[in-house]
Amino acid sequence: MKTAEMQGTAKALVAFGRGILAADESLPTIGARFAECGIESTGESRRAYREMLFRTPHIAESISGVILFDETIRQHADDGMAMIDVLRRQGIIPGIKVDRGTEPLAFLPGETITEGLDGLRERLEEYRELGARFTKWRAVLKIGHQLPTMPCIAANANLLASFAALSQEAGLVPIVEPEVLRDGDHTLSRCEEVTSQVLRTVFQALGDHRVELEAVILKPNMITPGTRCMDRISTEQIAEATLRCLRGSVPSEVPGIVFLSGGQTEVEATERLNAINLRGTAPWELSFSFGRALQESALRTWNGLVANVAEAQAAFADRARLNAFARNGLYDSEMEKNQHSLVCN
Ligand code: 13P
């Protein structure tokens, strides 16, 4: 019963023409994003910002699910409605980030482990009770001189698998996110090599933990060169490397792959998602679960002011719609003209 429900949820999250909004920034992360715009980060400003996003008219046409942060799932909108009900009323599936961030690994300098397994079974039960239907856990891998190490990859893969198994036990679809960071001067092929190794290790661990792959969503990075790499790489090369990596590492039972944006610009992330979807058939749906690449223009337009809500919602709706086109391979850069998403205060 739970398995059928989870498979249905997973399919709905990656349905044609829709994708996921990651609005689960932790307190330090949202604080940093707000600070860039001169907005003070308080419980109330975070709530108002996220309510603005969630109440965007007709947003469910492009957005299938939203990943919430623990604070938000307990908050209420201005009119007293639970934030999670604002989403459900829109026809959007609510999800929840359940990891508790990263900590340095002892004796492995520069590498981290993700925390949050303690008490997770009880927290998952509560989240399901509150209305969440899917979960997310992010592991972080850094490319560098002799990095990532095998112990770091293995430890993070095992934690992702434990998280995924516990989520499915609670009837929640796990989004498994092993993010290989873009920071560094590494080449495209080094990113492909590391990401392939990480993904293979993650799927080995998921199998070992008896996780149902038909009820898992993978959230990987696209294959890109490091942010300080000087190579000139085309959108097509990124799409080709990304698909080659996924074809070699992700079992076909997985219903969908949703990319993180990882600090790419809004337009870069959309163009690359489109190019990936244009490159012929794949066994999985290929969609998005962007944080920054869906919110950047909307946040700048909102700027903490009630007077800007309608304009910020228009910017968010535009970006979501363009990514929905890209997720179907139907985006064209001409569509960027006359978008509210180019408005910046
Ligand atoms: P970005 O798209 O900004 O990378 O965020 C996605 C996310 O959920 C990171 O955990």
Side-chain angles (χ1 to χ4, degrees), residues 272-290:
R272 292 166 178 177
L273 176 65
N274 189 61
I276 290 168
N277 273 291
L278 274 180
R279 294 192 74 83
T281 54
W284 344 263
E285 298 295 332
L286 291 159
S287 189
F288 59 91
S289 172
F290 296 156

PDB file of all heavy atoms in Angstrom, residues 272-290:
ATOM      1  N   ARG A 272      20.857  24.514 -19.760  1.00  0.00           N
ATOM      2  CA  ARG A 272      21.495  23.195 -19.654  1.00  0.00           C
ATOM      3  C   ARG A 272      20.444  22.103 -19.435  1.00  0.00           C
ATOM      4  O   ARG A 272      20.542  21.017 -20.012  1.00  0.00           O
ATOM      5  CB  ARG A 272      22.538  23.218 -18.532  1.00  0.00           C
ATOM      6  CG  ARG A 272      23.711  24.118 -18.893  1.00  0.00           C
ATOM      7  CD  ARG A 272      24.609  24.451 -17.740  1.00  0.00           C
ATOM      8  NE  ARG A 272      25.735  25.274 -18.189  1.00  0.00           N
ATOM      9  CZ  ARG A 272      26.658  25.764 -17.375  1.00  0.00           C
ATOM     10  NH1 ARG A 272      26.607  25.536 -16.073  1.00  0.00           N
ATOM     11  NH2 ARG A 272      27.649  26.489 -17.859  1.00  0.00           N
ATOM     12  N   LEU A 273      19.434  22.404 -18.621  1.00  0.00           N
ATOM     13  CA  LEU A 273      18.355  21.430 -18.419  1.00  0.00           C
ATOM     14  C   LEU A 273      17.659  21.135 -19.744  1.00  0.00           C
ATOM     15  O   LEU A 273      17.334  19.988 -20.061  1.00  0.00           O
ATOM     16  CB  LEU A 273      17.351  21.971 -17.395  1.00  0.00           C
ATOM     17  CG  LEU A 273      16.126  21.101 -17.145  1.00  0.00           C
ATOM     18  CD1 LEU A 273      16.523  19.763 -16.518  1.00  0.00           C
ATOM     19  CD2 LEU A 273      15.121  21.818 -16.234  1.00  0.00           C
ATOM     20  N   ASN A 274      17.462  22.186 -20.530  1.00  0.00           N
ATOM     21  CA  ASN A 274      16.816  22.028 -21.829  1.00  0.00           C
ATOM     22  C   ASN A 274      17.683  21.153 -22.750  1.00  0.00           C
ATOM     23  O   ASN A 274      17.185  20.219 -23.395  1.00  0.00           O
ATOM     24  CB  ASN A 274      16.608  23.404 -22.469  1.00  0.00           C
ATOM     25  CG  ASN A 274      15.753  23.336 -23.712  1.00  0.00           C
ATOM     26  OD1 ASN A 274      14.607  22.935 -23.639  1.00  0.00           O
ATOM     27  ND2 ASN A 274      16.328  23.686 -24.846  1.00  0.00           N
ATOM     28  N   ALA A 275      18.990  21.451 -22.777  1.00  0.00           N
ATOM     29  CA  ALA A 275      19.898  20.689 -23.653  1.00  0.00           C
ATOM     30  C   ALA A 275      19.928  19.218 -23.238  1.00  0.00           C
ATOM     31  O   ALA A 275      19.963  18.319 -24.084  1.00  0.00           O
ATOM     32  CB  ALA A 275      21.299  21.294 -23.592  1.00  0.00           C
ATOM     33  N   ILE A 276      19.884  18.964 -21.944  1.00  0.00           N
ATOM     34  CA  ILE A 276      19.873  17.572 -21.462  1.00  0.00           C
ATOM     35  C   ILE A 276      18.610  16.861 -21.964  1.00  0.00           C
ATOM     36  O   ILE A 276      18.656  15.733 -22.439  1.00  0.00           O
ATOM     37  CB  ILE A 276      19.959  17.546 -19.907  1.00  0.00           C
ATOM     38  CG1 ILE A 276      21.346  17.986 -19.454  1.00  0.00           C
ATOM     39  CG2 ILE A 276      19.601  16.164 -19.353  1.00  0.00           C
ATOM     40  CD1 ILE A 276      21.471  18.282 -17.966  1.00  0.00           C
ATOM     41  N   ASN A 277      17.474  17.560 -21.894  1.00  0.00           N
ATOM     42  CA  ASN A 277      16.215  16.936 -22.328  1.00  0.00           C
ATOM     43  C   ASN A 277      16.096  16.816 -23.846  1.00  0.00           C
ATOM     44  O   ASN A 277      15.289  16.033 -24.336  1.00  0.00           O
ATOM     45  CB  ASN A 277      15.026  17.703 -21.747  1.00  0.00           C
ATOM     46  CG  ASN A 277      14.659  17.193 -20.366  1.00  0.00           C
ATOM     47  OD1 ASN A 277      14.166  16.074 -20.225  1.00  0.00           O
ATOM     48  ND2 ASN A 277      14.955  17.968 -19.341  1.00  0.00           N
ATOM     49  N   LEU A 278      16.894  17.606 -24.558  1.00  0.00           N
ATOM     50  CA  LEU A 278      16.848  17.533 -26.025  1.00  0.00           C
ATOM     51  C   LEU A 278      17.628  16.349 -26.576  1.00  0.00           C
ATOM     52  O   LEU A 278      17.446  15.980 -27.725  1.00  0.00           O
ATOM     53  CB  LEU A 278      17.438  18.820 -26.620  1.00  0.00           C
ATOM     54  CG  LEU A 278      16.494  19.995 -26.784  1.00  0.00           C
ATOM     55  CD1 LEU A 278      17.250  21.170 -27.386  1.00  0.00           C
ATOM     56  CD2 LEU A 278      15.314  19.617 -27.666  1.00  0.00           C
ATOM     57  N   ARG A 279      18.518  15.785 -25.751  1.00  0.00           N
ATOM     58  CA  ARG A 279      19.428  14.770 -26.262  1.00  0.00           C
ATOM     59  C   ARG A 279      18.834  13.356 -26.244  1.00  0.00           C
ATOM     60  O   ARG A 279      19.435  12.421 -25.732  1.00  0.00           O
ATOM     61  CB  ARG A 279      20.750  14.771 -25.496  1.00  0.00           C
ATOM     62  CG  ARG A 279      21.561  16.028 -25.694  1.00  0.00           C
ATOM     63  CD  ARG A 279      22.949  15.855 -25.177  1.00  0.00           C
ATOM     64  NE  ARG A 279      23.738  15.011 -26.073  1.00  0.00           N
ATOM     65  CZ  ARG A 279      24.352  15.449 -27.160  1.00  0.00           C
ATOM     66  NH1 ARG A 279      24.285  16.700 -27.492  1.00  0.00           N
ATOM     67  NH2 ARG A 279      25.043  14.615 -27.902  1.00  0.00           N
ATOM     68  N   GLY A 280      17.648  13.236 -26.768  1.00  0.00           N
ATOM     69  CA  GLY A 280      17.079  11.904 -26.978  1.00  0.00           C
ATOM     70  C   GLY A 280      16.510  11.271 -25.729  1.00  0.00           C
ATOM     71  O   GLY A 280      16.364  11.918 -24.692  1.00  0.00           O
ATOM     72  N   THR A 281      16.219   9.992 -25.829  1.00  0.00           N
ATOM     73  CA  THR A 281      15.479   9.331 -24.764  1.00  0.00           C
ATOM     74  C   THR A 281      16.392   8.858 -23.630  1.00  0.00           C
ATOM     75  O   THR A 281      17.529   8.498 -23.841  1.00  0.00           O
ATOM     76  CB  THR A 281      14.737   8.103 -25.309  1.00  0.00           C
ATOM     77  OG1 THR A 281      15.700   7.296 -25.976  1.00  0.00           O
ATOM     78  CG2 THR A 281      13.614   8.484 -26.244  1.00  0.00           C
ATOM     79  N   ALA A 282      15.838   8.892 -22.431  1.00  0.00           N
ATOM     80  CA  ALA A 282      16.536   8.383 -21.245  1.00  0.00           C
ATOM     81  C   ALA A 282      15.508   7.561 -20.481  1.00  0.00           C
ATOM     82  O   ALA A 282      14.307   7.770 -20.636  1.00  0.00           O
ATOM     83  CB  ALA A 282      17.034   9.554 -20.412  1.00  0.00           C
ATOM     84  N   PRO A 283      15.960   6.614 -19.643  1.00  0.00           N
ATOM     85  CA  PRO A 283      14.973   5.782 -18.933  1.00  0.00           C
ATOM     86  C   PRO A 283      14.247   6.507 -17.807  1.00  0.00           C
ATOM     87  O   PRO A 283      13.243   6.011 -17.311  1.00  0.00           O
ATOM     88  CB  PRO A 283      15.829   4.647 -18.351  1.00  0.00           C
ATOM     89  CG  PRO A 283      17.235   5.120 -18.390  1.00  0.00           C
ATOM     90  CD  PRO A 283      17.337   6.165 -19.467  1.00  0.00           C
ATOM     91  N   TRP A 284      14.760   7.677 -17.385  1.00  0.00           N
ATOM     92  CA  TRP A 284      14.145   8.400 -16.262  1.00  0.00           C
ATOM     93  C   TRP A 284      13.651   9.749 -16.737  1.00  0.00           C
ATOM     94  O   TRP A 284      14.137  10.293 -17.726  1.00  0.00           O
ATOM     95  CB  TRP A 284      15.145   8.653 -15.129  1.00  0.00           C
ATOM     96  CG  TRP A 284      16.388   7.835 -15.197  1.00  0.00           C
ATOM     97  CD1 TRP A 284      16.633   6.667 -14.535  1.00  0.00           C
ATOM     98  CD2 TRP A 284      17.573   8.116 -15.983  1.00  0.00           C
ATOM     99  NE1 TRP A 284      17.887   6.207 -14.859  1.00  0.00           N
ATOM    100  CE2 TRP A 284      18.481   7.069 -15.738  1.00  0.00           C
ATOM    101  CE3 TRP A 284      17.943   9.122 -16.863  1.00  0.00           C
ATOM    102  CZ2 TRP A 284      19.740   7.011 -16.336  1.00  0.00           C
ATOM    103  CZ3 TRP A 284      19.189   9.078 -17.470  1.00  0.00           C
ATOM    104  CH2 TRP A 284      20.076   8.033 -17.197  1.00  0.00           C
ATOM    105  N   GLU A 285      12.692  10.337 -16.005  1.00  0.00           N
ATOM    106  CA  GLU A 285      12.312  11.729 -16.242  1.00  0.00           C
ATOM    107  C   GLU A 285      13.488  12.597 -15.804  1.00  0.00           C
ATOM    108  O   GLU A 285      14.166  12.281 -14.816  1.00  0.00           O
ATOM    109  CB  GLU A 285      11.068  12.100 -15.412  1.00  0.00           C
ATOM    110  CG  GLU A 285       9.826  11.293 -15.748  1.00  0.00           C
ATOM    111  CD  GLU A 285       9.329  11.554 -17.164  1.00  0.00           C
ATOM    112  OE1 GLU A 285       9.560  12.662 -17.697  1.00  0.00           O
ATOM    113  OE2 GLU A 285       8.712  10.643 -17.748  1.00  0.00           O
ATOM    114  N   LEU A 286      13.723  13.678 -16.515  1.00  0.00           N
ATOM    115  CA  LEU A 286      14.859  14.568 -16.200  1.00  0.00           C
ATOM    116  C   LEU A 286      14.313  15.969 -15.937  1.00  0.00           C
ATOM    117  O   LEU A 286      13.925  16.672 -16.868  1.00  0.00           O
ATOM    118  CB  LEU A 286      15.841  14.572 -17.369  1.00  0.00           C
ATOM    119  CG  LEU A 286      16.584  13.241 -17.574  1.00  0.00           C
ATOM    120  CD1 LEU A 286      17.121  13.128 -18.992  1.00  0.00           C
ATOM    121  CD2 LEU A 286      17.713  13.114 -16.567  1.00  0.00           C
ATOM    122  N   SER A 287      14.261  16.340 -14.661  1.00  0.00           N
ATOM    123  CA  SER A 287      13.592  17.586 -14.293  1.00  0.00           C
ATOM    124  C   SER A 287      14.481  18.426 -13.375  1.00  0.00           C
ATOM    125  O   SER A 287      15.692  18.237 -13.330  1.00  0.00           O
ATOM    126  CB  SER A 287      12.243  17.246 -13.657  1.00  0.00           C
ATOM    127  OG  SER A 287      11.481  18.406 -13.471  1.00  0.00           O
ATOM    128  N   PHE A 288      13.871  19.330 -12.646  1.00  0.00           N
ATOM    129  CA  PHE A 288      14.650  20.253 -11.811  1.00  0.00           C
ATOM    130  C   PHE A 288      14.167  20.267 -10.374  1.00  0.00           C
ATOM    131  O   PHE A 288      13.004  19.970 -10.086  1.00  0.00           O
ATOM    132  CB  PHE A 288      14.591  21.679 -12.390  1.00  0.00           C
ATOM    133  CG  PHE A 288      13.197  22.254 -12.498  1.00  0.00           C
ATOM    134  CD1 PHE A 288      12.643  22.988 -11.456  1.00  0.00           C
ATOM    135  CD2 PHE A 288      12.424  22.057 -13.640  1.00  0.00           C
ATOM    136  CE1 PHE A 288      11.358  23.525 -11.563  1.00  0.00           C
ATOM    137  CE2 PHE A 288      11.135  22.593 -13.753  1.00  0.00           C
ATOM    138  CZ  PHE A 288      10.602  23.320 -12.715  1.00  0.00           C
ATOM    139  N   SER A 289      15.091  20.566  -9.478  1.00  0.00           N
ATOM    140  CA  SER A 289      14.760  20.840  -8.083  1.00  0.00           C
ATOM    141  C   SER A 289      15.671  21.981  -7.661  1.00  0.00           C
ATOM    142  O   SER A 289      16.555  21.818  -6.819  1.00  0.00           O
ATOM    143  CB  SER A 289      14.992  19.590  -7.216  1.00  0.00           C
ATOM    144  OG  SER A 289      14.836  19.908  -5.849  1.00  0.00           O
ATOM    145  N   PHE A 290      15.463  23.139  -8.311  1.00  0.00           N
ATOM    146  CA  PHE A 290      16.381  24.261  -8.118  1.00  0.00           C
ATOM    147  C   PHE A 290      16.010  25.075  -6.881  1.00  0.00           C
ATOM    148  O   PHE A 290      14.836  25.227  -6.543  1.00  0.00           O
ATOM    149  CB  PHE A 290      16.341  25.197  -9.334  1.00  0.00           C
ATOM    150  CG  PHE A 290      16.817  24.582 -10.633  1.00  0.00           C
ATOM    151  CD1 PHE A 290      16.389  25.111 -11.846  1.00  0.00           C
ATOM    152  CD2 PHE A 290      17.708  23.517 -10.652  1.00  0.00           C
ATOM    153  CE1 PHE A 290      16.832  24.585 -13.055  1.00  0.00           C
ATOM    154  CE2 PHE A 290      18.153  22.976 -11.865  1.00  0.00           C
ATOM    155  CZ  PHE A 290      17.712  23.516 -13.069  1.00  0.00           C
TER     156      PHE A 290
END
